[in-house]
Structures are given as C-alpha cells and as structure tokens.
Amino acid sequence: MKIRRLILASLFILSIICISIYGGTISYAFFYAVLLIPILSFTYLFYVYLRFAVHQEIKTRNIVAGVPVPYGFFLCNEGYTAFTSVAVNLHSDYSTVLDVNDNDEFHLFPRDKMYFDTNIICKYRGEYDVGVKKLIITDFFGIFRVSYKMPTTIRAIVKPRIIKLDSLDDIPESETHVQSYLKEVINEQDVTSRNYTSGDSMKRIHWKLTAKSGELKVRNEIGTLKKKILLMTDFERVSDDMHEYLPLENQIIEQTIALLYYFVRHSIPAEVIFSQNEMENRNISDISDFNNLYEELAVLNFRRDKSFIELFSTASLKGFTVSATIIIMVIRELSAEIFSEITVLSLSGKILIVYVISDVDISDYIRQGNDRLKIIRMTMDD
C-alpha cells in the first residue's frame, strides 16, 4: 500500500510538472485523471461503509477459560458493487477465533453473504471484549483504508478452568512431613464419622467412608480435626494494564481452585482466606462448598489496596495461622518480609507450601527451603 501511495504521489507531481512545462490538453487530462483516483477511492469506501453489514454472537453465556464455545459472525454486501477487500481485525490478545486469522481478507460480490460458524476460545478468567474488533476496508486501487468499528461488541464474562490434579506432584514423596500429615487429615475424617440417622443433612454424608463400609455415614460435628489445612491466596491487583494483570490473576485463581478441587475430591477439609473489603474465610468440606466458592471466585475482583502481607498479618492476629497444621499460600511475589514470616512459622512446627506465580528468579529463597518449608515457583507459561 505504501508503494502504491508513493506511485500515486509521484504521478501527481509528474502531472503538475507536465502542466507547468508543456501545458496542453494531454497534460491537463493526465492531471485530472490522477486527481480523480483518490476521489473515486474515497467515494467507493464511503459507499462500502454505508452498504456493509456485520453481525456476531457467542451462542452460550457459560464460558470457561480454555474451553471452546460456539461463536458465529457473518459479513454481508448489501450494495450493487463488489467489495474488493474486507479484512477482519480480532480481539486476539485474550481470545482466539478458530479457523479465522487476525486480519484475514475477504472479497464479497454484490448481495453476497459470508457466514462463519466456528468456536472461540477465551484464554483467561475475567471480563473482556472478544470476537471481531473492527473491519478494515480497502479501496479497489489498494491505496486507502478505512476502519469500520463494530457497532456492537461482545463482552465475555469468563470463568476459570477447574484443573484436576491427580496428585500434588510438587510435593515429592521424600518430604514425609507433608505427605504423612495429608494422610492423617484423611484418616481423621473416618474417626469423626457416625452412622446416618433420619434427619441428618445430605451435605454431611461422608461418601468416601460410605463406599468403604457399605453403610451410610455422616460427618460428626462434635470436636474439631487435629490436622487443619489453611490456604491463603493473594488477590492483590498489580497494575491497571489488563495485559499485565489478566494472565497473572487467571493463574492465581486457577492454582487456588486446582488445590481446593484436589482437597474436596480426596475428602480433605480445608479453609481458604483472602482479601476483599476485609479478610474473608471459607470452609471447604464437600463438593457443594467447592461449587459455591468456585462461583464466587469466578467473578471476584482483585484489589489494588489489599496486599498479601496485610492479609497475612490479619490472619495471624485472628489465630488462623496458629490453628493450622499445614499452610498453603498462592502468591504473586515472595518478598524478604513474607519470607521472614513464613520461616518463623516453619520453625514453630508448621508445614508450609508456597506457590509463587512469577517470572522473577527466586532460586535463593527456594534453596533455603526444607522438609517443612517448600517453595514452588510457577512461571506465567506453566
């Protein structure tokens, strides 16, 4: 296109020179012919703009990150001339339209329609625009372009994936403290169970023990478990730039949900705490609890004014870290202050597993870990 514009500019300058030096009918005809090209091009582009129709839709509102969902859009030439080049510009940063590439060009004959029945994959949990962003129309000389912004956009509300962990592979079998404590938590569930009696809530049924014993068992409400897992998650927003915060927040949410899903599938009770207006805590003991929390996390907003160290301090003051035996953290940054706090906890007999979602090298901290303090770095590509 730049070359064609240079050619047109050169022809225009040449026509001016011809008029200035030679004059005559031919020189003026040449001048007006060159001058007519941009006029015809812009007239054509204006006509295409008026006679062009486009529509798009996502055929479901249940959108999960990484899962294809039905998506369709159509282009329509309602005019009486051919549309030589219509390029589709997509919201490709956070979603992918299958079988259609960004800036693909299409040609439409008069009264012609093109319909694309395909799928779209949203990459991250969150709320953002997807699908076609704008159309780029090129004139028949290939010199000028006009952007046609979509009259309506699709604002997708995307839920996080539920990743099924078959095992906690990040915790090697050699770290006997962690593995044995997890097994003890499961065994304690059996101790705090009894036979089902009429009137017991279905939510309290211990399905795993029921399957083992062949009799309907429910969890006892008397007493508390000696072993307790506490999951602390960092929901602090790091930037106002969606390109920076969206992938990070998506991975933090997915890792949190993956851990909780692992616990609920193995009948391991856990408690999760996080910051919103104030510190929130949720107890997860069965699939119903998990589903409720999943729906909450799917639309939860990360906060610029809530740091993880503030959450940690509040949890300590309220006794959450004291009563827990195993503390798992999902954080975006391991600072010297946080490392100092978790080191003190590990020395007091707690088992700590810290997932750091970051591309920053934290190998010095990882090397200081031991059988009671496991630091796991997860990059943004994991």
Side-chain angles (χ1 to χ4, degrees):
M1 181 171 289
K2 290 182 179 179
I3 294 176
R4 293 182 181 182
R5 289 179 180 175
L6 288 174
I7 293 173
L8 179 62
S10 300
L11 290 175
F12 183 76
I13 294 172
L14 181 61
S15 68
I16 296 294
I17 294 173
C18 289
I19 290 174
S20 302
I21 297 176
Y22 302 106
T25 304
I26 295 177
S27 296
Y28 277 98
F30 178 46
F31 170 77
Y32 286 119
V34 174
L35 188 63
L36 191 61
I37 290 175
I39 295 175
L40 289 174
S41 294
F42 281 109
T43 302
Y44 168 80
L45 291 174
F46 181 70
Y47 177 77
V48 172
Y49 185 86
L50 293 177
R51 305 301 298 172
F52 190 82
V54 58
H55 177 72
Q56 63 177 339
E57 63 176 347
I58 288 183
K59 301 176 182 179
T60 179
R61 299 302 299 173
N62 186 25
I63 305 173
V64 177
V67 178
V69 295
Y71 167 79
F73 73 93
F74 76 86
L75 313 175
C76 179
N77 178 357
E78 297 178 343
Y80 297 96
T81 62
F83 295 170
T84 56
S85 175
V86 179
V88 176
N89 185 244
L90 304 171
H91 290 281
S92 55
D93 291 336
Y94 313 124
S95 62
T96 301
V97 178
L98 302 183
D99 304 322
V100 180
N101 297 318
D102 197 19
N103 294 320
D104 274 353
E105 292 190 1
F106 304 97
H107 307 278
L108 286 88
F109 293 103
R111 301 293 177 175
D112 192 12
K113 295 181 180 179
M114 298 185 68
Y115 185 76
F116 299 85
D117 191 5
T118 180
N119 290 291
I120 190 170
I121 299 176
C122 298
K123 301 177 183 178
Y124 308 114
R125 167 262 186 204
E127 183 176 351
Y128 45 87
D129 292 333
V130 298
V132 179
K133 178 165 56 177
K134 62 182 178 180
L135 302 174
I136 301 173
I137 306 167
T138 306
D139 70 293
F140 43 77
F141 293 115
I143 300 175
F144 304 105
R145 286 180 177 174
V146 172
S147 295
Y148 180 95
K149 191 174 181 180
M150 291 295 293
T152 58
T153 58
I154 297 178
R155 190 75 173 176
I157 301 175
V158 186
K159 295 181 179 181
R161 293 182 299 169
I162 299 178
I163 300 173
K164 183 178 180 180
L165 302 176
D166 294 327
S167 63
L168 297 183
D169 294 330
D170 293 317
I171 307 173
E173 289 295 335
S174 60
E175 296 182 336
T176 56
H177 285 287
V178 175
Q179 295 296 337
S180 62
Y181 271 48
L182 287 176
K183 291 175 182 177
E184 286 177 26
V185 170
I186 297 174
N187 292 334
E188 283 180 358
Q189 281 284 81
D190 298 339
V191 174
T192 57
S193 301
R194 58 176 173 78
N195 290 332
Y196 175 85
T197 58
S198 179
D200 285 334
S201 172
M202 295 297 290
K203 290 182 63 175
R204 287 171 52 197
I205 293 179
H206 193 320
W207 295 108
K208 185 174 181 180
L209 188 57
T210 296
K212 287 181 179 180
S213 64
E215 297 179 351
L216 203 57
K217 300 286 186 178
V218 296
R219 294 184 179 89
N220 234 328
E221 292 183 331
I222 300 174
T224 57
L225 295 174
K226 295 178 182 179
K227 309 301 179 185
K228 178 182 176 182
I229 293 180
L230 177 66
L231 176 58
M232 306 175 67
T233 304
D234 182 4
F235 288 158
E236 180 185 6
R237 176 153 292 176
V238 298
S239 169
D240 292 326
D241 185 353
M242 188 177 288
H243 287 81
E244 293 183 18
Y245 74 71
L246 199 62
L248 175 62
E249 292 180 6
N250 176 76
Q251 194 160 351
I252 289 175
I253 287 286
E254 285 190 350
Q255 181 63 22
T256 300
I257 291 174
L259 291 167
L260 291 173
Y261 191 51
Y262 176 86
F263 295 143
V264 78
R265 286 190 302 110
H266 292 81
S267 300
I268 303 173
E271 186 170 19
V272 57
I273 60 175
F274 53 90
S275 291
Q276 284 298 277
N277 292 328
E278 55 187 20
M279 192 190 78
E280 304 280 349
N281 69 294
R282 304 287 185 272
N283 288 296
I284 308 298
S285 58
D286 55 33
I287 194 64
S288 177
D289 293 334
F290 172 82
N291 289 336
N292 291 334
L293 182 58
Y294 172 81
E295 295 298 332
E296 183 178 355
L297 295 179
V299 296
L300 176 142
N301 291 320
F302 282 58
R303 301 281 299 268
R304 289 297 300 268
D305 58 338
K306 299 294 181 180
S307 66
F308 181 76
I309 193 64
E310 178 184 344
L311 173 67
F312 184 90
S313 299
T314 304
S316 299
L317 288 173
K318 292 187 175 183
F320 285 89
T321 55
V322 174
S323 60
T325 302
I326 301 177
I327 301 174
I328 302 177
M329 301 179 182
V330 181
I331 60 178
R332 63 171 182 83
E333 178 185 36
L334 184 56
S335 64
E337 184 179 8
I338 295 175
F339 182 76
S340 175
E341 294 286 354
I342 62 178
T343 301
V344 171
L345 279 178
S346 68
L347 293 175
S348 69
K350 309 294 182 184
I351 303 295
L352 286 103
I353 308 165
V354 184
Y355 292 90
V356 184
I357 315 295
S358 175
D359 290 329
V360 176
D361 184 14
I362 56 169
S363 55
D364 288 342
Y365 288 128
I366 293 175
R367 282 194 292 268
Q368 297 179 60
N370 50 57
D371 59 350
R372 289 188 175 274
L373 175 57
K374 175 70 174 179
I375 300 173
I376 303 154
R377 174 174 170 256
M378 301 181 67
T379 66
M380 297 306 298
D381 296 328
D382 288 343

